[in-house]
Each structure stands twice: as structure tokens, then as C-alpha cells.
PDB file of all heavy atoms in Angstrom:
ATOM      1  N   LYS A 299       0.857  -1.180   0.001  1.00  0.00           N
ATOM      2  CA  LYS A 299      -0.001   0.001   0.000  1.00  0.00           C
ATOM      3  C   LYS A 299       0.894   1.241   0.000  1.00  0.00           C
ATOM      4  O   LYS A 299       1.678   1.443   0.914  1.00  0.00           O
ATOM      5  CB  LYS A 299      -0.914   0.018   1.224  1.00  0.00           C
ATOM      6  CG  LYS A 299      -1.971   1.128   1.153  1.00  0.00           C
ATOM      7  CD  LYS A 299      -2.928   1.089   2.322  1.00  0.00           C
ATOM      8  CE  LYS A 299      -2.279   1.685   3.572  1.00  0.00           C
ATOM      9  NZ  LYS A 299      -3.250   1.813   4.686  1.00  0.00           N
ATOM     10  N   ILE A 300       0.764   2.045  -1.037  1.00  0.00           N
ATOM     11  CA  ILE A 300       1.627   3.214  -1.156  1.00  0.00           C
ATOM     12  C   ILE A 300       0.906   4.508  -0.811  1.00  0.00           C
ATOM     13  O   ILE A 300       1.558   5.556  -0.624  1.00  0.00           O
ATOM     14  CB  ILE A 300       2.233   3.333  -2.572  1.00  0.00           C
ATOM     15  CG1 ILE A 300       1.117   3.469  -3.620  1.00  0.00           C
ATOM     16  CG2 ILE A 300       3.126   2.135  -2.878  1.00  0.00           C
ATOM     17  CD1 ILE A 300       1.640   3.811  -5.018  1.00  0.00           C
ATOM     18  N   ALA A 301      -0.430   4.461  -0.712  1.00  0.00           N
ATOM     19  CA  ALA A 301      -1.181   5.668  -0.379  1.00  0.00           C
ATOM     20  C   ALA A 301      -2.576   5.293   0.063  1.00  0.00           C
ATOM     21  O   ALA A 301      -3.099   4.249  -0.305  1.00  0.00           O
ATOM     22  CB  ALA A 301      -1.253   6.611  -1.580  1.00  0.00           C
ATOM     23  N   GLU A 302      -3.169   6.162   0.853  1.00  0.00           N
ATOM     24  CA  GLU A 302      -4.560   6.010   1.271  1.00  0.00           C
ATOM     25  C   GLU A 302      -5.076   7.367   1.706  1.00  0.00           C
ATOM     26  O   GLU A 302      -4.359   8.164   2.294  1.00  0.00           O
ATOM     27  CB  GLU A 302      -4.706   5.021   2.426  1.00  0.00           C
ATOM     28  CG  GLU A 302      -6.153   4.799   2.845  1.00  0.00           C
ATOM     29  CD  GLU A 302      -6.300   3.829   3.998  1.00  0.00           C
ATOM     30  OE1 GLU A 302      -5.284   3.275   4.444  1.00  0.00           O
ATOM     31  OE2 GLU A 302      -7.442   3.639   4.467  1.00  0.00           O
ATOM     32  N   GLY A 303      -6.344   7.641   1.395  1.00  0.00           N
ATOM     33  CA  GLY A 303      -6.944   8.911   1.801  1.00  0.00           C
ATOM     34  C   GLY A 303      -8.221   9.161   1.049  1.00  0.00           C
ATOM     35  O   GLY A 303      -8.805   8.255   0.442  1.00  0.00           O
ATOM     36  N   THR A 304      -8.678  10.394   1.081  1.00  0.00           N
ATOM     37  CA  THR A 304      -9.843  10.767   0.299  1.00  0.00           C
ATOM     38  C   THR A 304      -9.461  10.739  -1.183  1.00  0.00           C
ATOM     39  O   THR A 304      -8.280  10.761  -1.536  1.00  0.00           O
ATOM     40  CB  THR A 304     -10.312  12.168   0.671  1.00  0.00           C
ATOM     41  OG1 THR A 304      -9.287  13.121   0.287  1.00  0.00           O
ATOM     42  CG2 THR A 304     -10.585  12.287   2.159  1.00  0.00           C
ATOM     43  N   PRO A 305     -10.452  10.693  -2.080  1.00  0.00           N
ATOM     44  CA  PRO A 305     -10.121  10.724  -3.495  1.00  0.00           C
ATOM     45  C   PRO A 305      -9.232  11.897  -3.884  1.00  0.00           C
ATOM     46  O   PRO A 305      -8.280  11.738  -4.658  1.00  0.00           O
ATOM     47  CB  PRO A 305     -11.489  10.793  -4.167  1.00  0.00           C
ATOM     48  CG  PRO A 305     -12.401  10.071  -3.222  1.00  0.00           C
ATOM     49  CD  PRO A 305     -11.900  10.444  -1.853  1.00  0.00           C
ATOM     50  N   ALA A 306      -9.511  13.077  -3.338  1.00  0.00           N
ATOM     51  CA  ALA A 306      -8.702  14.256  -3.679  1.00  0.00           C
ATOM     52  C   ALA A 306      -7.266  14.100  -3.200  1.00  0.00           C
ATOM     53  O   ALA A 306      -6.316  14.457  -3.913  1.00  0.00           O
ATOM     54  CB  ALA A 306      -9.330  15.507  -3.071  1.00  0.00           C
ATOM     55  N   GLU A 307      -7.094  13.551  -1.990  1.00  0.00           N
ATOM     56  CA  GLU A 307      -5.746  13.361  -1.463  1.00  0.00           C
ATOM     57  C   GLU A 307      -4.949  12.364  -2.301  1.00  0.00           C
ATOM     58  O   GLU A 307      -3.770  12.580  -2.590  1.00  0.00           O
ATOM     59  CB  GLU A 307      -5.826  12.878  -0.014  1.00  0.00           C
ATOM     60  CG  GLU A 307      -6.314  13.930   0.964  1.00  0.00           C
ATOM     61  CD  GLU A 307      -6.650  13.367   2.345  1.00  0.00           C
ATOM     62  OE1 GLU A 307      -6.831  12.129   2.453  1.00  0.00           O
ATOM     63  OE2 GLU A 307      -6.745  14.160   3.295  1.00  0.00           O
ATOM     64  N   VAL A 308      -5.603  11.283  -2.703  1.00  0.00           N
ATOM     65  CA  VAL A 308      -4.913  10.252  -3.480  1.00  0.00           C
ATOM     66  C   VAL A 308      -4.536  10.762  -4.855  1.00  0.00           C
ATOM     67  O   VAL A 308      -3.455  10.477  -5.380  1.00  0.00           O
ATOM     68  CB  VAL A 308      -5.803   8.993  -3.561  1.00  0.00           C
ATOM     69  CG1 VAL A 308      -5.289   8.033  -4.626  1.00  0.00           C
ATOM     70  CG2 VAL A 308      -5.855   8.293  -2.204  1.00  0.00           C
ATOM     71  N   GLN A 309      -5.429  11.546  -5.466  1.00  0.00           N
ATOM     72  CA  GLN A 309      -5.141  12.077  -6.796  1.00  0.00           C
ATOM     73  C   GLN A 309      -3.896  12.962  -6.805  1.00  0.00           C
ATOM     74  O   GLN A 309      -3.181  13.036  -7.805  1.00  0.00           O
ATOM     75  CB  GLN A 309      -6.338  12.896  -7.295  1.00  0.00           C
ATOM     76  CG  GLN A 309      -7.477  12.044  -7.825  1.00  0.00           C
ATOM     77  CD  GLN A 309      -8.625  12.904  -8.297  1.00  0.00           C
ATOM     78  OE1 GLN A 309      -9.185  13.700  -7.536  1.00  0.00           O
ATOM     79  NE2 GLN A 309      -8.982  12.768  -9.564  1.00  0.00           N
ATOM     80  N   ARG A 310      -3.632  13.625  -5.679  1.00  0.00           N
ATOM     81  CA  ARG A 310      -2.484  14.537  -5.607  1.00  0.00           C
ATOM     82  C   ARG A 310      -1.202  13.866  -5.166  1.00  0.00           C
ATOM     83  O   ARG A 310      -0.135  14.481  -5.201  1.00  0.00           O
ATOM     84  CB  ARG A 310      -2.794  15.693  -4.637  1.00  0.00           C
ATOM     85  CG  ARG A 310      -3.915  16.612  -5.072  1.00  0.00           C
ATOM     86  CD  ARG A 310      -3.936  17.868  -4.206  1.00  0.00           C
ATOM     87  NE  ARG A 310      -4.134  17.556  -2.800  1.00  0.00           N
ATOM     88  CZ  ARG A 310      -5.304  17.564  -2.178  1.00  0.00           C
ATOM     89  NH1 ARG A 310      -6.396  17.863  -2.859  1.00  0.00           N
ATOM     90  NH2 ARG A 310      -5.404  17.274  -0.882  1.00  0.00           N
ATOM     91  N   ASP A 311      -1.292  12.612  -4.711  1.00  0.00           N
ATOM     92  CA  ASP A 311      -0.121  11.954  -4.116  1.00  0.00           C
ATOM     93  C   ASP A 311       0.911  11.630  -5.195  1.00  0.00           C
ATOM     94  O   ASP A 311       0.615  10.908  -6.153  1.00  0.00           O
ATOM     95  CB  ASP A 311      -0.572  10.675  -3.413  1.00  0.00           C
ATOM     96  CG  ASP A 311       0.500  10.116  -2.500  1.00  0.00           C
ATOM     97  OD1 ASP A 311       1.623   9.880  -2.983  1.00  0.00           O
ATOM     98  OD2 ASP A 311       0.221   9.911  -1.302  1.00  0.00           O
ATOM     99  N   PRO A 312       2.155  12.127  -5.053  1.00  0.00           N
ATOM    100  CA  PRO A 312       3.188  11.852  -6.065  1.00  0.00           C
ATOM    101  C   PRO A 312       3.483  10.370  -6.259  1.00  0.00           C
ATOM    102  O   PRO A 312       3.821   9.939  -7.365  1.00  0.00           O
ATOM    103  CB  PRO A 312       4.423  12.582  -5.510  1.00  0.00           C
ATOM    104  CG  PRO A 312       3.902  13.564  -4.528  1.00  0.00           C
ATOM    105  CD  PRO A 312       2.647  12.991  -3.969  1.00  0.00           C
ATOM    106  N   ARG A 313       3.342   9.566  -5.180  1.00  0.00           N
ATOM    107  CA  ARG A 313       3.619   8.135  -5.304  1.00  0.00           C
ATOM    108  C   ARG A 313       2.578   7.459  -6.189  1.00  0.00           C
ATOM    109  O   ARG A 313       2.887   6.527  -6.938  1.00  0.00           O
ATOM    110  CB  ARG A 313       3.638   7.490  -3.922  1.00  0.00           C
ATOM    111  CG  ARG A 313       4.763   7.976  -3.012  1.00  0.00           C
ATOM    112  CD  ARG A 313       4.517   7.572  -1.581  1.00  0.00           C
ATOM    113  NE  ARG A 313       3.292   8.172  -1.060  1.00  0.00           N
ATOM    114  CZ  ARG A 313       2.833   7.994   0.193  1.00  0.00           C
ATOM    115  NH1 ARG A 313       3.491   7.213   1.018  1.00  0.00           N
ATOM    116  NH2 ARG A 313       1.725   8.590   0.586  1.00  0.00           N
ATOM    117  N   VAL A 314       1.338   7.922  -6.105  1.00  0.00           N
ATOM    118  CA  VAL A 314       0.278   7.358  -6.934  1.00  0.00           C
ATOM    119  C   VAL A 314       0.496   7.746  -8.389  1.00  0.00           C
ATOM    120  O   VAL A 314       0.388   6.917  -9.307  1.00  0.00           O
ATOM    121  CB  VAL A 314      -1.102   7.846  -6.448  1.00  0.00           C
ATOM    122  CG1 VAL A 314      -2.203   7.320  -7.354  1.00  0.00           C
ATOM    123  CG2 VAL A 314      -1.332   7.401  -5.009  1.00  0.00           C
ATOM    124  N   ILE A 315       0.808   8.992  -8.632  1.00  0.00           N
ATOM    125  CA  ILE A 315       1.076   9.449 -10.001  1.00  0.00           C
ATOM    126  C   ILE A 315       2.243   8.664 -10.589  1.00  0.00           C
ATOM    127  O   ILE A 315       2.195   8.218 -11.741  1.00  0.00           O
ATOM    128  CB  ILE A 315       1.378  10.964  -9.989  1.00  0.00           C
ATOM    129  CG1 ILE A 315       0.161  11.736  -9.487  1.00  0.00           C
ATOM    130  CG2 ILE A 315       1.772  11.422 -11.395  1.00  0.00           C
ATOM    131  CD1 ILE A 315       0.422  13.196  -9.233  1.00  0.00           C
ATOM    132  N   ALA A 316       3.281   8.453  -9.788  1.00  0.00           N
ATOM    133  CA  ALA A 316       4.442   7.692 -10.276  1.00  0.00           C
ATOM    134  C   ALA A 316       4.073   6.259 -10.613  1.00  0.00           C
ATOM    135  O   ALA A 316       4.524   5.703 -11.622  1.00  0.00           O
ATOM    136  CB  ALA A 316       5.545   7.715  -9.226  1.00  0.00           C
ATOM    137  N   ALA A 317       3.249   5.635  -9.758  1.00  0.00           N
ATOM    138  CA  ALA A 317       2.867   4.236  -9.984  1.00  0.00           C
ATOM    139  C   ALA A 317       2.090   4.069 -11.284  1.00  0.00           C
ATOM    140  O   ALA A 317       2.268   3.089 -12.011  1.00  0.00           O
ATOM    141  CB  ALA A 317       2.047   3.723  -8.803  1.00  0.00           C
ATOM    142  N   TYR A 318       1.228   5.043 -11.603  1.00  0.00           N
ATOM    143  CA  TYR A 318       0.412   4.937 -12.806  1.00  0.00           C
ATOM    144  C   TYR A 318       1.148   5.387 -14.059  1.00  0.00           C
ATOM    145  O   TYR A 318       0.920   4.863 -15.156  1.00  0.00           O
ATOM    146  CB  TYR A 318      -0.891   5.743 -12.634  1.00  0.00           C
ATOM    147  CG  TYR A 318      -1.966   4.963 -11.927  1.00  0.00           C
ATOM    148  CD1 TYR A 318      -2.145   5.060 -10.564  1.00  0.00           C
ATOM    149  CD2 TYR A 318      -2.792   4.100 -12.644  1.00  0.00           C
ATOM    150  CE1 TYR A 318      -3.124   4.335  -9.915  1.00  0.00           C
ATOM    151  CE2 TYR A 318      -3.784   3.363 -12.012  1.00  0.00           C
ATOM    152  CZ  TYR A 318      -3.936   3.488 -10.640  1.00  0.00           C
ATOM    153  OH  TYR A 318      -4.906   2.750 -10.013  1.00  0.00           O
ATOM    154  N   LEU A 319       2.039   6.357 -13.919  1.00  0.00           N
ATOM    155  CA  LEU A 319       2.744   6.876 -15.091  1.00  0.00           C
ATOM    156  C   LEU A 319       4.106   6.256 -15.295  1.00  0.00           C
ATOM    157  O   LEU A 319       4.747   6.464 -16.327  1.00  0.00           O
ATOM    158  CB  LEU A 319       2.887   8.402 -14.980  1.00  0.00           C
ATOM    159  CG  LEU A 319       1.582   9.190 -14.938  1.00  0.00           C
ATOM    160  CD1 LEU A 319       1.871  10.683 -14.901  1.00  0.00           C
ATOM    161  CD2 LEU A 319       0.677   8.850 -16.105  1.00  0.00           C
ATOM    162  N   GLY A 320       4.600   5.512 -14.274  1.00  0.00           N
ATOM    163  CA  GLY A 320       5.873   4.841 -14.419  1.00  0.00           C
ATOM    164  C   GLY A 320       7.062   5.767 -14.345  1.00  0.00           C
ATOM    165  O   GLY A 320       8.079   5.513 -14.987  1.00  0.00           O
ATOM    166  N   VAL A 321       6.951   6.860 -13.569  1.00  0.00           N
ATOM    167  CA  VAL A 321       8.067   7.794 -13.405  1.00  0.00           C
ATOM    168  C   VAL A 321       8.373   7.916 -11.926  1.00  0.00           C
ATOM    169  O   VAL A 321       7.507   7.717 -11.076  1.00  0.00           O
ATOM    170  CB  VAL A 321       7.719   9.189 -13.990  1.00  0.00           C
ATOM    171  CG1 VAL A 321       7.523   9.103 -15.486  1.00  0.00           C
ATOM    172  CG2 VAL A 321       6.501   9.774 -13.306  1.00  0.00           C
ATOM    173  N   PRO A 322       9.618   8.231 -11.569  1.00  0.00           N
ATOM    174  CA  PRO A 322       9.957   8.389 -10.157  1.00  0.00           C
ATOM    175  C   PRO A 322       9.165   9.512  -9.521  1.00  0.00           C
ATOM    176  O   PRO A 322       8.874  10.525 -10.164  1.00  0.00           O
ATOM    177  CB  PRO A 322      11.456   8.708 -10.183  1.00  0.00           C
ATOM    178  CG  PRO A 322      11.946   8.218 -11.506  1.00  0.00           C
ATOM    179  CD  PRO A 322      10.791   8.378 -12.444  1.00  0.00           C
TER     180      PRO A 322
END
């Protein structure tokens, strides 16, 4: 689990963006 929170919080999380886009 790399992130958890409200939808808005998760959308802004850099770890989530990295996991989906494949960038550090």
C-alpha cells in the first residue's frame, strides 16, 4: 500500500502518480 486517503488526497499523491505513469 503506497497511499490512502480521500479521493482528492490520493489524486495529488506523487507516489500514486508515479505508480500509474511509471516515473519516479
Side-chain angles (χ1 to χ4, degrees):
K299 189 177 77 173
I300 61 171
E302 182 181 357
T304 66
E307 290 169 342
V308 166
Q309 282 180 302
R310 295 192 301 265
D311 194 305
R313 295 166 298 181
V314 177
I315 297 171
Y318 275 95
L319 298 183
V321 295

